[in-house]
């Protein structure tokens, strides 16, 4: 009987210890930033853009859990990567309008050969839509919400477009047919309603990859109408390639579990990849 009780106690203590370690880890993971590489092949991509590099970041959520210094570090790390283009997917702040001018102050100096462009997320509307747009202007970023921008290389072009946040903004998408196009939409759910000319590639954030997941397989809570369908990674849907990033920062509670923060680096390739 005594041995049974000892074994039971050991098991219970082990379970508690493992639980505490996993809990502790979930507060460390938010600081473990990674770079995730994707190669996107398309026969629609002009040869002049073969090897073109894009950095995509979303959901920085500067605020009580993501300091000014961490935003500066993110900016410096991205600059070191020397991309052709930087795209930003929204949700720059968390918890209050005071953080809006600050985050763009910290991001000021972020640059790429063809510039920095982006859209707003739901948090940007909650904490200061106009202040966010002012921040874009201050930092020299291009607000591409419901706009199309052509990038040229030796007479060939690709198209970069953005739409407003699905819940808080307005979405107007008009793509030119026959041109390789990339769409930035904060919320991946927008993909389900796209008709007409479709983008070749869509980039989204918003889900944080689930933020707290069951070992990266699925997440119990996701801000999506489609639950885990557009949670994370490279997804083919509606004849569109979609990349959903896990984002950089967190919302409350400031923990991540098997949903590491990331900078997404995309290399465009001309051809079908065979």
């Amino acid at each position: 009987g005594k041995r049974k009780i000892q074994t039971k106690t050991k098991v219970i203590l082990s379970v508690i210890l493992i639980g505490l370690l996993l809990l502790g880890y979930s507060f460390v993971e938010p600081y473990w930033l990674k770079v995730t590489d994707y190669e996107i092949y398309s026969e629609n991509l002009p040869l002049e853009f073969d090897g073109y590099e894009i950095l995509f970041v979303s959901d920085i959520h500067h605020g009580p859990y993501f300091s000014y210094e961490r935003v500066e570090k993110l900016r410096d790390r991205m600059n070191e990567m020397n991309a052709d283009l930087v795209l930003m997917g929204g949700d720059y702040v968390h918890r209050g309008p005071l953080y809006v001018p600050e985050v763009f102050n910290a991001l000021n100096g972020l640059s790429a050969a063809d510039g920095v462009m982006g859209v707003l997320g739901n948090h940007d509307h909650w904490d200061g839509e106009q202040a966010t747009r002012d921040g874009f202007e201050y930092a020299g970023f291009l607000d591409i919400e419901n706009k199309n921008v052509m990038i040229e290389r030796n007479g060939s072009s690709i198209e970069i477009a953005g739409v407003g946040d699905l819940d808080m903004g307005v979405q107007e998408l008009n793509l030119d047919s026959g041109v390789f196009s990339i769409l930035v939409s904060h919320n991946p759910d927008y993909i389900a309603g796209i008709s007409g000319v479709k983008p070749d590639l869509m980039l989204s954030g918003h889900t944080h990859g689930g933020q707290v997941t069951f070992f990266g397989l699925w997440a119990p809570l996701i801000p999506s109408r489609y639950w885990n369908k557009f949670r994370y990674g490279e997804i083919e849907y509606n004849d569109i390639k979609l990349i959903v990033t896990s984002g950089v920062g967190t919302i409350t509670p400031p923990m991540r579990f098997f949903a590491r923060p990331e900078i997404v680096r995309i290399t465009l390739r001309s051809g079908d990849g065979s």
Side-chain angles (χ1 to χ4, degrees):
K2 202 175 187 185
R3 190 168 284 172
K4 246 187 187 168
I5 290 166
Q6 279 178 337
T7 308
K8 209 174 184 182
T9 307
K10 273 182 187 167
V11 169
I12 289 166
L13 286 174
S14 300
V15 168
I16 290 169
L17 183 64
I18 291 165
L20 287 172
L21 284 170
L22 292 177
L23 183 66
Y25 167 77
S26 69
F27 284 100
V28 173
E29 189 179 280
Y31 292 87
W32 195 16
L33 185 70
K34 65 176 177 175
V35 175
T36 306
D37 280 293
Y38 293 96
E39 276 197 313
I40 298 296
Y41 284 86
S42 173
E43 293 184 345
N44 203 12
L45 184 77
L47 272 172
E48 286 81 0
F49 285 90
D50 188 76
Y52 192 85
E53 279 192 5
I54 298 166
L55 298 185
F56 175 54
V57 291
S58 189
D59 304 271
I60 295 169
H61 287 302
H62 168 52
Y65 311 127
F66 202 96
S67 71
Y68 189 87
E69 289 72 30
R70 280 173 77 187
V71 180
E72 288 183 312
K73 271 187 187 158
L74 173 73
R75 174 200 69 200
D76 293 345
R77 186 159 176 189
M78 289 172 75
N79 279 342
E80 280 163 20
M81 290 164 76
N82 271 328
D84 293 296
L85 178 67
V86 169
L87 295 175
M88 307 185 78
D91 278 9
Y92 304 95
V93 294
H94 176 51
R95 293 251 185 125
L98 288 174
Y99 294 108
V100 181
E102 266 194 16
V103 75
F104 290 103
N105 208 22
L107 286 170
N108 191 15
L110 178 63
S111 66
D114 289 319
V116 180
M117 309 175 183
V119 298
L120 274 63
N122 48 308
H123 280 262
D124 307 313
H125 284 271
W126 298 341
D127 287 332
E129 180 192 351
Q130 194 49 54
T132 303
R133 298 197 195 279
D134 293 346
F136 261 71
E137 207 165 300
Y138 166 77
F141 302 163
L142 194 61
D143 178 356
I144 55 168
E145 208 153 282
N146 302 320
K147 293 188 189 86
N148 303 24
V149 180
M150 287 293 185
I151 293 175
E152 291 203 8
R153 282 275 193 280
N154 304 329
S156 290
S157 306
I158 61 172
E159 186 172 26
I160 311 293
V163 287
D165 179 62
L166 188 60
D167 299 317
M168 302 297 298
V170 177
Q171 303 85 44
E172 290 162 19
L173 180 62
N174 296 297
L175 296 170
D176 292 271
S177 63
V179 182
F180 179 89
S181 60
I182 298 172
L183 168 66
V184 184
S185 164
H186 177 66
N187 191 328
D189 287 4
Y190 178 67
I191 199 169
I194 295 176
S195 56
V197 180
K198 293 173 181 173
D200 294 270
L201 176 64
M202 177 168 144
L203 306 177
S204 297
H206 188 57
T207 65
H208 299 191
Q211 194 168 307
V212 175
T213 74
F214 184 75
F215 299 99
L217 301 173
W218 62 273
L221 290 171
I222 292 193
S224 167
R225 292 156 211 186
Y226 304 94
W227 200 37
N228 274 261
K229 195 178 182 82
F230 306 130
R231 178 178 68 82
Y232 176 72
E234 194 177 338
I235 300 150
E236 287 270 350
Y237 184 83
N238 194 11
D239 295 325
I240 301 165
K241 275 187 180 120
L242 168 67
I243 292 174
V244 182
T245 175
S246 58
V248 180
T250 61
I251 51 164
T252 316
M255 59 205 293
R256 281 179 176 268
F257 195 71
F258 285 76
R260 274 177 69 185
E262 67 183 1
I263 296 167
V264 165
R265 178 167 52 196
I266 296 154
T267 306
L268 302 181
R269 296 281 177 211
S270 185
D272 63 1
S274 60

